[in-house]
């Protein structure tokens, strides 16, 4: 038995199809997995357990993208909005964000919690920050920023619930001491 060609008189594989082909199902005949590659050996590999590799024949996760040098990107596009995850093998860094002129959001439970605007402004609790860093909380909630060492808050600042004063505090969590208070009219206490 030799190679079989469809659309070609000189098949280079057991089955060599030149042109388009339509299949309802393709199965791997071994537990090694299934690969779809171009003539350079690059392509997609589906491991027997269901992990998918792009650029690797040994995917260790559900989706594993590998490139030996330069940048490897995963893009998601809806209309003109392009989001990406990338790893830079040359520069040694990686990241996630947009590569179009749009804001980037981090969500929890389907709701926005952090927005990075396309001008670099960051909002926590707001999608429209007007400062480099803006934190918005619902009325009645305390809003303290803290610097921690282990479980202790060394220094913190913020607003107390339903209060318009800005407090600077220190101490252990739950037993903070107010050191400086700024009132809305500019008075310091």
């Amino acid at each position: 038995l030799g190679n079989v060609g469809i659309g070609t008189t000189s098949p280079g594989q057991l089955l060599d199809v030149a042109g388009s082909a339509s299949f309802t199902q393709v199965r791997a005949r071994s537990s090694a997995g299934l690969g779809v590659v171009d003539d350079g050996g690059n392509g997609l590999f589906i491991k027997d357990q269901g992990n998918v590799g792009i650029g690797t024949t040994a995917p260790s996760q559900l989706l594993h993208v590998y490139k030996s040098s330069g940048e490897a990107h995963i893009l998601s596009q809806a209309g003109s909005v392009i989001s990406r995850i990338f790893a830079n093998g040359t520069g040694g860094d990686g990241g996630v964000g947009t590569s179009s002129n749009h804001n980037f959001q981090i969500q929890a439970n389907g709701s926005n919690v952090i927005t990075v605007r396309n001008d670099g402004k960051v909002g926590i609790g707001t999608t429209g920050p007007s400062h480099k860093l803006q934190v918005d909380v619902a009325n009645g909630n305390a809003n303290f920023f803290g610097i921690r060492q282990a479980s202790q808050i060394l220094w913190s600042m913020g607003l107390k619930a339903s209060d318009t004063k800005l407090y600077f505090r220190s101490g252990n969590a739950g037993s903070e001491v107010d050191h400086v208070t700024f009132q809305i009219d500019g008075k310091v206490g």
Side-chain angles (χ1 to χ4, degrees):
L1 294 176
N3 295 343
V4 175
I6 299 174
T8 179
T9 57
S10 55
Q13 302 291 326
L14 288 175
L15 175 61
D16 193 340
V17 179
S20 299
S22 178
F23 302 95
T24 56
Q25 190 176 62
V26 177
R27 291 181 180 231
R29 298 299 293 181
S30 75
S31 62
L34 174 69
V36 179
V37 296
D38 62 15
D39 57 359
N42 303 305
L44 176 76
F45 184 79
I46 303 170
K47 199 172 176 180
D48 193 39
Q49 296 84 10
N51 291 352
V52 176
I54 300 173
T56 178
T57 57
S60 61
Q61 301 295 319
L62 284 176
L63 177 61
H64 184 160
V65 178
Y66 175 79
K67 189 174 180 186
S68 62
S69 63
E71 290 190 3
H73 293 258
I74 299 174
L75 295 178
S76 173
Q77 184 171 358
S80 64
V81 180
I82 302 171
S83 296
R84 69 184 179 128
I85 300 171
F86 72 92
N88 185 338
T90 306
D93 57 0
V96 59
T98 62
S99 55
S100 57
N101 191 24
H102 296 89
N103 298 340
F104 173 74
Q105 296 181 340
I106 297 174
Q107 296 186 344
N109 296 322
S111 297
N112 177 54
V113 291
I114 299 174
T115 296
V116 180
R117 287 185 11 171
N118 59 3
D119 61 3
K121 294 177 181 169
V122 177
I124 300 174
T126 178
T127 58
S130 55
H131 304 284
K132 278 291 186 187
L133 174 62
Q134 181 176 333
V135 179
D136 287 4
V137 295
N139 289 333
N141 291 325
N143 183 12
F144 276 88
F145 298 97
I147 301 172
R148 294 181 185 260
Q149 181 178 12
S151 63
Q152 297 180 348
I153 297 177
L154 299 178
W155 285 98
S156 61
M157 64 171 269
L159 307 172
K160 291 183 181 178
S162 301
D163 195 345
T164 59
K165 299 173 188 168
L166 177 63
Y167 295 87
F168 286 85
R169 318 171 97 188
S170 70
N172 296 330
S175 62
E176 296 91 355
V177 176
D178 296 338
H179 292 285
V180 179
T181 304
F182 292 90
Q183 296 182 21
I184 193 105
D185 61 5
K187 293 179 183 173
V188 178

